[in-house]
Amino acid sequence: MLNLEKKLLIDIYKKILDQSNKRFFFDKIKLSEKFSSKVEIFQLNLIFVLFFCEKNKINKEFSKNLINYFLDDMESAIREIGVSETSIGRKKRIIAENFYGRLYSYTEIFKKKKIDKKLIEKKLKKNFKHSEIKYDFLLKYITLNLNLFSGLNKISFTDLKFDFVDLE
């Protein structure tokens, strides 16, 4: 990977990470602050970026490297929370399988001309398991960001001249 491409990958990753830690996810949407909820929202934000890359025919290697960076980061996070060395590979495999399932299902929905809000809400309820979640706000967040990434151009993306849409 070229140094310029690696820098872009890291900068995009940091942008996703910063977005995923915004307070409105926990204060307004009422996501739990557990590790699993934070991973779910990160994955959703990563899927927006990967959807953009696919739609705009960004180098497939870039998307693959971004996913690998995420999975390596998850492995580090698993180690930090004290999971035994012998089960790290299994946990990473489970995270990867879950992520690819989400990537496929959300992307299929995002590709449609008209957003099927009921189908998205069904997927959200399957993936975000917390009784207090305000799914209408989470759905609004998805719709706003899907519109953002659908209209974003390659230059704005590669120059990092875009921000996720917040609900604040």
Side-chain angles (χ1 to χ4, degrees):
M1 183 177 356
L2 300 171
N3 284 338
L4 188 61
E5 188 175 307
K6 186 171 184 172
K7 181 181 178 347
L8 176 62
L9 184 137
I10 291 169
D11 289 344
I12 294 283
Y13 193 84
K14 285 179 182 176
K15 198 170 196 92
I16 297 167
L17 188 59
D18 289 344
Q19 178 65 21
S20 302
N21 286 315
K22 297 250 174 117
R23 286 301 319 162
F24 75 86
F25 287 115
F26 312 105
D27 298 340
K28 186 167 187 157
I29 298 176
K30 302 293 185 195
L31 291 178
S32 154
E33 293 196 48
K34 292 181 181 175
F35 178 75
S36 60
S37 292
K38 291 179 179 184
V39 170
E40 286 293 340
I41 201 63
F42 183 90
Q43 289 180 106
L44 182 60
N45 288 322
L46 176 58
I47 290 168
F48 288 134
V49 170
L50 295 170
F51 169 73
F52 170 84
C53 290
E54 181 182 324
K55 184 176 183 281
N56 289 279
K57 297 175 178 40
I58 303 284
N59 179 347
K60 286 189 180 191
E61 197 66 26
F62 181 81
S63 294
K64 182 180 169 189
N65 289 335
L66 191 57
I67 292 168
N68 287 337
Y69 197 85
F70 161 67
L71 294 174
D72 289 345
D73 194 32
M74 285 298 94
E75 182 177 336
S76 296
I78 292 168
R79 287 179 194 281
E80 282 181 27
I81 59 174
V83 171
S84 72
E85 197 66 34
T86 56
S87 63
I88 288 175
R90 183 177 55 81
K91 293 221 183 266
K92 185 177 176 183
R93 188 182 73 250
I94 290 168
I95 288 172
E97 288 171 358
N98 288 340
F99 172 72
Y100 281 111
R102 286 162 178 74
L103 175 62
Y104 175 78
S105 65
Y106 283 123
T107 302
E108 289 302 303
I109 296 169
F110 294 171
K111 285 180 183 177
K112 296 180 180 181
K113 298 237 185 262
K114 186 172 189 245
I115 298 170
D116 186 343
K117 291 182 179 183
K118 290 199 183 301
L119 185 56
I120 293 174
E121 186 172 348
K122 183 180 174 185
K123 298 284 182 196
L124 292 173
K125 287 181 177 179
K126 181 180 176 188
N127 296 330
F128 290 88
K129 296 177 174 111
H130 182 59
S131 61
E132 296 177 20
I133 292 176
K134 306 241 184 228
Y135 289 102
D136 54 332
F137 287 137
L138 188 52
L139 193 55
K140 182 178 180 182
Y141 174 78
I142 289 171
T143 303
L144 291 170
N145 282 288
L146 186 54
N147 289 336
L148 167 79
F149 283 96
S150 293
L152 190 63
N153 64 49
K154 284 183 183 181
I155 294 170
S156 295
F157 179 78
T158 56
D159 288 347
L160 298 172
K161 295 192 179 189
F162 71 92
D163 290 309
F164 288 84
V165 180
D166 293 346
L167 294 181
E168 296 181 301

